[in-house]
Amino acid sequence: MTEYNFRLQKLLDIRIDSEEQCKIKFKQIMDEISKIQIHINSLKKTSKEHANCVSSTVVLKKMKYIYLNALASSISEANKVLLEKTKISEEVREELKQKQIERKTVEKLKENAKSKFIKEQNAKEQKINDELALYAHFRNIERR
């Protein structure tokens, strides 16, 4: 029996590679989002710690106020970056979904073509077996 050869195998390989690259890109963005969230949490923790500190002099109170404002602005900037990265991650997620659909489409074509090929091979084999059985039957009839 001959081996099955899918004509669109190169296309399937390209689609698989493309999907893998998109998965890597998505993973990198999710790692960046995770780092930003950790950074925001640490800034918030620092802000809470320093907000609870009691300052005795006016100069220390002013320094504390300036520092807390700087922390608040840092948190705000980090939240903006987080929002941008989240939007980018959603775009990449949609791109990944599309690439998965494209890959699965070609894989389905491959499965259908392979099952058709196997059915054809089985039909050919059955036809040959039927012919051999018919010849054997005729030989047995002639011998009698």
Side-chain angles (χ1 to χ4, degrees):
M1 187 155 91
T2 60
E3 189 174 318
Y4 175 69
N5 187 15
F6 184 54
R7 295 181 306 144
L8 299 174
Q9 186 62 42
K10 288 183 181 179
L11 176 65
L12 180 60
D13 293 340
I14 290 170
R15 298 249 170 112
I16 289 172
D17 290 341
S18 176
E19 181 185 355
E20 289 300 318
Q21 290 172 354
C22 196
K23 283 181 183 178
I24 291 169
K25 185 178 176 183
F26 182 69
K27 173 89 169 83
Q28 289 172 344
I29 290 173
M30 294 308 290
D31 288 343
E32 289 175 16
I33 288 174
S34 177
K35 288 178 185 177
I36 292 170
Q37 288 174 337
I38 290 170
H39 180 67
I40 289 172
N41 290 337
S42 70
L43 288 174
K44 286 181 180 179
K45 182 180 176 185
T46 304
S47 178
K48 285 181 184 178
E49 288 173 0
H50 287 285
N52 294 333
C53 290
V54 178
S55 301
S56 57
T57 64
V58 175
V59 173
L60 289 176
K61 286 182 182 180
K62 187 172 184 177
M63 287 174 56
K64 178 179 146 184
Y65 176 75
I66 292 170
Y67 182 66
L68 289 175
N69 280 340
L71 281 175
S73 67
S74 294
I75 291 170
S76 176
E77 289 297 319
N79 281 328
K80 287 178 185 176
V81 171
L82 179 64
L83 186 62
E84 291 173 10
K85 292 291 183 181
T86 303
K87 287 179 183 177
I88 292 171
S89 72
E90 290 302 317
E91 292 171 3
V92 172
R93 184 186 316 260
E94 290 301 317
E95 181 182 350
L96 180 59
K97 283 182 187 177
Q98 187 62 36
K99 292 192 184 285
Q100 287 175 337
I101 289 170
E102 291 171 356
R103 176 190 50 86
K104 288 179 182 179
T105 302
V106 177
E107 282 181 345
K108 189 67 175 174
L109 288 172
K110 181 179 180 178
E111 289 172 9
N112 291 343
K114 187 172 183 177
S115 66
K116 183 179 177 183
F117 174 79
I118 290 172
K119 285 179 185 177
E120 289 174 359
Q121 290 297 317
N122 288 340
K124 287 179 184 178
E125 186 177 328
Q126 185 63 41
K127 184 178 178 183
I128 291 171
N129 289 341
D130 289 346
E131 287 178 4
L132 291 175
L134 185 63
Y135 292 142
H137 178 70
F138 284 139
R139 273 188 269 140
N140 287 337
I141 290 176
E142 288 177 3
R143 289 184 188 162
R144 288 185 196 171

